[in-house]
Amino acid sequence: MKKTFIISCIAIIFSASIHAQQKDFEGILFYRAELRSKSPMISSRALQNIIGIGNEETIFIKHGNYKRVSENTVSYYLTKDQRGYLKFKGADTLYYIDYVSDTTAVTNISKSDEKRNIAGFECKLLTVQLSGDATKRYYYAPALYMNPEYDKNNKIDRYDVFAKETSSLYLGLYQESKTFSLSETCTKVQQATISDTVFELPKLPQKKFSYDDMVVAPEFNRPGGWTKYLQTNLNSQVAAKYLNIPKGEQMASQQVMVVFLVNEYGRISNAEVINKKEVHRKLAEEALRVINESPPWKPATFLGEKTIFWLKMPITFEVTKQ
C-alpha cells in the first residue's frame, strides 16, 4: 500500500513537471483568408471592410499577446490590458474592445478524431457552436502550445472557449453563419524571437469600439424626402378598412415597425415587421410593400467606403372619423 502511494506521488510530480516545462509558442503565423457573402444583396467586399479581414494576414505572437496585420486593419490583443485594439485603414483613432464585452452564448462544444496537416503540423478538430446559428471549426496544433490562462477572459468571438479546450493555436478556422462563410488557413509557421515593441500601440486617441460611430447612415435623398414618399405611396384605404376607431374617439392609429437592409448600392432587402403580434396583418403587408418598392437610397459609408446598413423604421397608419 505504501509502495503504491509513493508511485502515485511520483507520477503526479512527473506529470506536473512535464506540464510546467511546456513553453509558449513565440513567433509569426501567416494566413490566407477568404470571406464569402451568402446574400446576393451584400458583396463580400463590404463584409470584409466591416469585419476587418484581408486576403492575407500575419499574426505576431508572444506570451499571449497577438498582433494581427491585414490590408484593412491592424489589431492588437494584449493580456495586460485585457482588451483588443483595432486600427482601421484611413482612421486616426484606435478603437478598443474589452475582453469581457462579448456576451455571445456558446451552445455546443465538440471534438473530433478528424486530423488535418496544415503548414507541416498535425492538427485536431474542435467545433464550437454559438447562438445565432454560427459555427466555428478550429483545426488546432497541439505542438504549438499556448497557456490557456492568457485568454481565459478573452470572450471576443469566444476565444476563451478555444483556449481552454485546446491550450494551443489554430492553423485553420472555418466559420459559417447565416450571412457569410469565412476560412483562414495558415500557410507558414515561423518560430522566432519577437520584440516587445511589436505590441506597442500606436499613439492615437483611443475610443470604445462602436460600429454606429464609424458609419454615416444611408439617406433617402429623393425630392420631398422619406415622409413625402410614404404619403404618396401608402394605400390609405388599408387603414380605413382595417383600423377601428374606438367608441368616443375621433381617430385611431397603428405603428408598424419594420427593419430592413440598405446594401452598398442603396437597394433594399430583408425587410421584416418586428411587431407582428401588435398590428393587423394587412397593415404589416402594406408596410412591407411600400418599403420593398422604395427607390434606391444613398448608401451608408464605413470610413468613407460604401457599406451595408440595417435600418428600423416606423410606418404609421391613421384613420379619422368623417
Side-chain angles (χ1 to χ4, degrees):
M1 185 72 175
K2 184 176 180 181
K3 182 178 179 182
T4 303
F5 176 75
I6 292 172
I7 292 173
S8 297
C9 288
I10 292 173
I12 292 171
I13 294 169
F14 182 70
S15 174
S17 176
I18 290 175
H19 183 76
Q21 289 173 7
Q22 286 184 290
K23 188 176 181 181
D24 295 325
F25 172 83
E26 182 176 347
I28 310 171
L29 304 182
F30 300 86
Y31 289 85
R32 180 178 61 253
E34 183 177 9
L35 185 148
R36 290 186 178 182
S37 170
K38 292 185 177 180
S39 170
M41 296 297 292
I42 309 172
S43 74
S44 297
R45 178 64 183 174
L47 287 176
Q48 273 189 317
N49 290 337
I50 294 170
I51 298 174
I53 289 288
N55 295 321
E56 304 287 337
E57 298 181 320
T58 304
I59 303 180
F60 300 85
I61 302 170
K62 181 178 182 179
H63 299 327
N65 298 313
Y66 310 88
K67 179 180 179 180
R68 179 189 295 259
V69 180
S70 72
E71 62 187 86
N72 298 315
T73 61
V74 178
S75 55
Y76 304 80
Y77 297 86
L78 304 182
T79 301
K80 66 180 179 64
D81 294 351
Q82 295 288 283
R83 279 180 177 176
Y85 296 88
L86 299 167
K87 169 64 175 70
F88 290 92
K89 182 179 179 180
D92 57 2
T93 301
L94 189 66
Y95 295 92
Y96 67 85
I97 305 172
D98 292 320
Y99 273 8
V100 297
S101 64
D102 193 338
T103 57
T104 303
V106 176
T107 58
N108 191 51
I109 302 170
S110 62
K111 290 184 177 180
S112 167
D113 292 333
E114 179 184 345
K115 292 183 173 66
R116 183 176 295 186
N117 190 287
I118 302 177
F121 289 83
E122 186 177 89
C123 297
K124 297 180 178 181
L125 175 61
L126 172 74
T127 301
V128 179
Q129 292 180 321
L130 306 174
S131 58
D133 296 327
T135 302
K136 291 173 174 279
R137 299 172 67 240
Y138 294 97
Y139 286 91
Y140 63 96
L144 303 179
Y145 177 76
M146 184 58 62
N147 190 334
E149 284 294 305
Y150 292 131
D151 289 297
K152 67 180 181 180
N153 298 319
N154 185 359
K155 296 183 182 294
I156 299 174
D157 289 332
R158 294 317 307 264
Y159 195 76
D160 60 322
V161 174
F162 170 80
K164 179 181 178 181
E165 294 292 329
T166 69
S167 300
S168 66
L169 301 171
Y170 69 82
L171 300 185
L173 169 61
Y174 305 92
Q175 181 175 345
E176 295 286 341
S177 72
K178 292 179 180 178
T179 310
F180 64 86
S181 63
L182 169 65
S183 68
E184 296 179 73
T185 306
C186 185
T187 57
K188 181 181 177 182
V189 176
Q190 181 179 327
Q191 292 185 306
T193 301
I194 305 298
S195 171
D196 292 337
T197 59
V198 168
F199 305 100
E200 291 180 358
L201 297 174
K203 298 185 185 304
L204 293 171
Q206 295 186 14
K207 187 176 183 181
K208 189 171 184 178
F209 177 81
S210 169
Y211 178 70
D212 291 343
D213 288 346
M214 304 168 69
V215 174
V216 177
E219 180 184 353
F220 187 80
N221 57 350
R222 302 284 169 151
W226 183 245
T227 302
K228 179 67 175 179
Y229 169 75
L230 292 179
Q231 291 173 344
T232 304
N233 291 277
L234 273 177
N235 184 349
S236 60
Q237 296 305 310
V238 175
K241 187 174 182 179
Y242 297 104
L243 273 181
N244 295 318
I245 300 176
K247 186 176 180 180
E249 301 291 335
Q250 296 299 309
M251 66 169 292
S253 67
Q254 270 194 0
Q255 193 174 75
V256 181
M257 294 299 302
V258 183
V259 293
F260 57 93
L261 177 74
V262 181
N263 74 2
E264 71 230 70
Y265 307 108
R267 295 196 292 270
I268 285 176
S269 69
N270 299 79
E272 181 182 356
V273 174
I274 59 175
N275 62 337
K276 292 179 182 178
K277 295 182 179 180
E278 303 169 14
V279 299
H280 195 284
R281 177 174 61 86
K282 291 295 183 180
L283 299 182
E285 290 176 358
E286 176 61 11
L288 287 177
R289 181 195 67 79
V290 78
I291 290 287
N292 285 323
E293 293 180 1
S294 165
W297 292 48
K298 178 181 178 182
T301 56
F302 178 78
L303 296 175
E305 188 164 341
K306 293 178 181 179
T307 191
I308 61 175
F309 195 93
W310 285 93
L311 278 174
K312 182 166 74 171
M313 189 75 66
I315 308 294
T316 303
F317 293 87
E318 293 183 349
V319 60
T320 304
K321 185 177 290 186
Q322 300 297 322

